[in-house]
Amino acid sequence: MTVVPQGFTSSTLVSVNYPNGEDVALGNFIKPSDSADAPTVTFIAPDPDAEYTVLMVDHDAPSKEDHTYSPYRHWVVANIPSSADFSQATELSGYIGPGPPPKTGDHRYIFLVYKQPKTDIAFNTLPKEPHCWDYKPFK
């Protein structure tokens, strides 16, 4: 399963840091115990008048070979101001730290930042179950 589509071009810089000091970097390994608490996410907003949505998803649920539950929703925060001040945002889905099942190998967790089409969106309720979650409508 391809996580980053071919031809993808980033439009901003994103930094993700866990409370214990672990920084997320493309392809690095972070133990579940070191990522149990929600990270601090910062980004450079391309549009200072816009608001943004941050998603964290697992594309390897339950494993890299079996994507039955992929993508798995781990976190959704919307209406984030361009200052990236999460205290002014709306948490739509509380943070669920990584917890891959035993013997399923390393999982690829990704953070996505989307510019919202307008500010202060009243999002519909997300599905109760976090597995098989189609996040593409957020783009």
Side-chain angles (χ1 to χ4, degrees):
M1 173 183 275
T2 301
V3 175
V4 179
Q6 187 172 356
F8 170 79
T9 303
S10 175
S11 61
T12 189
L13 297 174
V14 178
S15 175
V16 180
N17 309 94
Y18 280 97
N20 70 344
E22 289 284 346
D23 294 333
V24 174
L26 187 60
N28 71 326
F29 177 81
I30 299 175
K31 295 186 293 188
S33 60
D34 291 336
S35 54
D37 298 320
T40 299
V41 178
T42 56
F43 55 89
I44 298 171
D47 181 349
D49 298 320
E51 288 182 335
Y52 296 83
T53 296
V54 168
L55 313 175
M56 177 185 166
V57 295
D58 175 3
H59 275 272
D60 297 321
S63 71
K64 280 187 183 176
E65 294 76 30
D66 177 6
H67 295 120
T68 304
Y69 301 124
S70 297
Y72 192 95
R73 181 180 73 234
H74 279 266
W75 197 29
V76 180
V77 183
N79 298 322
I80 305 166
S82 62
S83 64
D85 182 354
F86 276 56
S87 70
Q88 297 180 32
T90 306
E91 188 173 67
L92 299 176
S93 182
Y95 183 80
I96 301 171
K103 300 181 182 181
T104 60
D106 298 340
H107 285 224
R108 297 169 292 172
Y109 295 86
I110 63 169
F111 290 86
L112 303 161
V113 178
Y114 290 114
K115 178 182 170 185
Q116 295 177 187
K118 62 181 184 174
T119 59
D120 199 26
I121 295 176
F123 285 91
N124 294 330
T125 304
L126 295 176
K128 182 178 178 180
E129 296 299 327
H131 61 275
C132 302
W133 183 60
D134 183 13
Y135 63 85
K136 290 177 181 80
F138 273 85
K139 348 191 225 191

